[in-house]
Amino acid sequence: MRKTTCLLFGAVALSALVGCSAEAGKNDATEKTAAPQETSATPAVATIDQPAPAFTLTDTEGTVHSLSDFKGKYVVLEWINFDCPFVVKHYSSGNMQSLQKKYMESGVVWLTICSSAPGKQGYFEGEELASRMEAEEWMGTAYLADPTGAVGKAYGATNTPHMYVISPEGMLIYAGAIDDTPSTKTADIPTSANYVVAALDAVVAGQPVATKATAAYGCAVKY
């Protein structure tokens, strides 16, 4: 009788062990199934030579723009804060507007994005924003509001100006400073090496972008 009891106990224990192993195997299978979904997702932060993070934002006219709307064209993203001295340098000199005009005439889309939070420096809306854009003679494709900072953070935008260039295929091909001279002096612009100009001129000429990433300079984005 005692021998029979031991055999039954052993069978139950073995069954439980097999059950646990099967459950563990099931969990492993679930994890192996879930992993590819995570790795195939759009990167949370912009990465050179990777798809640029998708976004949808509204412009000053109330029109909604998605990055996917501009597939097939080169896109420049410019982070802005009109009150930042480093931005003032490029607008008071007319440098930024001349770049916007020059490249838009060649088919480039120029999106200016403001990630300043409401109440913080650089945040404008309504008539105040319209007046400021007119005074600055802004000439881009669309001025987009990003008051939550979600798009700015997805791109890792840290400064104003912070510049990005996206290929017609939606790949990020440049990210960083507008040029190699981190100053607020307009007199420095003519002698500076402009990274955005270099990137756009290279790809239009069918050449690779020599400098794909630099450290942005300017004011901190006012998230």
Side-chain angles (χ1 to χ4, degrees):
M1 181 64 181
R2 181 177 181 182
K3 183 176 180 180
T4 301
T5 301
C6 290
L7 287 172
L8 287 173
F9 179 79
V12 171
L14 179 60
S15 176
L17 181 60
V18 171
C20 290
S21 298
E23 187 64 27
K26 181 180 179 181
N27 290 339
D28 288 346
T30 301
E31 291 171 359
K32 289 176 182 176
T33 300
Q37 295 177 347
E38 296 174 359
T39 56
S40 65
T42 300
V45 176
T47 304
I48 291 294
D49 291 334
Q50 295 296 315
F55 64 81
T56 298
L57 292 172
T58 303
D59 69 13
T60 52
E61 304 296 325
T63 302
V64 175
H65 298 271
S66 295
L67 179 61
S68 58
D69 295 340
F70 307 110
K71 187 176 181 180
K73 297 183 178 181
Y74 286 103
V75 177
V76 173
L77 303 183
E78 168 207 354
W79 257 263
I80 195 167
N81 168 0
F82 279 134
D83 288 339
C84 167
F86 294 89
V87 173
V88 170
K89 165 188 173 182
H90 291 285
Y91 273 90
S92 65
S93 63
N95 182 51
M96 194 69 83
Q97 302 94 319
S98 68
L99 295 177
Q100 293 166 348
K101 184 175 185 296
K102 173 185 176 181
Y103 288 105
M104 285 175 61
E105 286 178 348
S106 63
V108 173
V109 173
W110 193 291
L111 303 177
T112 300
I113 300 177
C114 180
S115 293
S116 293
K120 293 193 175 182
Q121 186 190 60
Y123 178 84
F124 302 101
E125 61 182 352
E127 289 300 321
E128 186 179 19
L129 176 57
S131 297
R132 193 61 184 268
M133 292 171 64
E134 182 177 359
E136 301 291 351
E137 299 181 337
W138 173 85
M139 300 183 70
T141 305
Y143 183 108
L144 305 174
D146 177 36
T148 67
V151 176
K153 291 172 184 175
Y155 275 79
T158 57
N159 298 80
T160 52
H162 201 151
M163 311 296 294
Y164 299 81
V165 180
I166 300 169
S167 75
E169 295 76 28
M171 306 294 281
L172 185 65
I173 58 176
Y174 175 75
I178 186 171
D179 60 32
D180 66 349
T181 308
S183 79
T184 59
K185 300 177 182 177
T186 58
D188 290 333
I189 294 175
T191 57
S192 300
N194 191 300
Y195 296 122
V196 177
V197 169
L200 288 172
D201 288 352
V203 293
V204 169
Q207 301 296 319
V209 177
T211 302
K212 295 185 176 182
T214 62
Y217 71 84
C219 306
V221 176
K222 305 301 186 288
Y223 290 116

